[in-house]
Amino acid sequence: MMEFETEQQKQVFERILPWVYAVFDKASVSVHEDKPLVRITFGSAFVVVNVYPWRDDAVVNVRSYVVTNTEITPDLMFFLLRENDDMRFGAFGIDEENDIFFEYAIVGSTCDQPELKAAVGAVAFTADEYDDQIVERWGGERAIDR
């Protein structure tokens, strides 16, 4: 059973889920059974759309893991930060396991279908574009190959 922390989180998730099915190939979409989370597969990347509570609202977080199992070097960090400067939607980050991700967030109450589609597309395109570049220069694995 799906668990929600707030009513707003539930409302936002229930509003965006039909959009995900309408916009993306149903075969590429899977919904987590316990959390307000949807996974969408795109080429060599996958995107996770997660709805989190935020103040009196919710936030729609669109994230794609780009590369895992790579050594985080100063050169790689500099590359990611410089690339962030050119991004229009989203930014690279590194999680607690040193996996590289790319993500973008949208305020839940104002999110509409075209904005969600653009966010998912931008995150998927960026992850798919950068995963091979990063693996080639710094090693690791594309997230989809993990």
Side-chain angles (χ1 to χ4, degrees), residues 10-54:
K10 179 180 180 186
Q11 289 174 9
V12 169
F13 184 76
E14 289 175 349
R15 190 172 78 245
I16 70 165
L17 187 58
W19 299 344
V20 171
Y21 284 124
V23 172
F24 304 103
D25 177 23
K26 290 183 182 181
S28 67
V29 174
S30 63
V31 180
H32 196 283
E33 64 183 50
D34 298 332
K35 300 175 186 175
L37 180 149
V38 180
R39 182 178 166 167
I40 309 163
T41 304
F42 293 90
S44 66
F46 63 87
V47 174
V48 175
V49 178
N50 205 333
V51 179
Y52 295 106
W54 178 63

Side-chain angles (χ1 to χ4, degrees), residues 27-30 39-48 63-69 99-101 124 127-132 135 140-146:
S28 67
V29 174
S30 63
R39 182 178 166 167
I40 309 163
T41 304
F42 293 90
S44 66
F46 63 87
V47 174
V48 175
R63 176 183 278 200
S64 182
Y65 280 89
V66 181
V67 175
T68 64
N69 300 320
D99 295 331
I100 300 168
F101 61 85
D128 196 37
E129 179 181 344
Y130 280 87
D131 59 2
D132 292 324
V135 168
E141 299 173 274
R142 297 179 311 169
I144 198 87
D145 297 331
R146 199 165 119 177

Side-chain angles (χ1 to χ4, degrees), residues 119-130:
V120 171
V123 169
F125 175 80
T126 302
D128 196 37
E129 179 181 344
Y130 280 87

Side-chain angles (χ1 to χ4, degrees), residues 83-103:
E83 292 303 305
N84 280 347
D85 186 47
D86 289 333
M87 296 298 165
R88 299 298 169 249
F89 295 99
F92 287 103
I94 299 172
D95 72 7
E96 65 279 351
E97 296 176 5
N98 287 338
D99 295 331
I100 300 168
F101 61 85
F102 187 82
E103 73 179 356

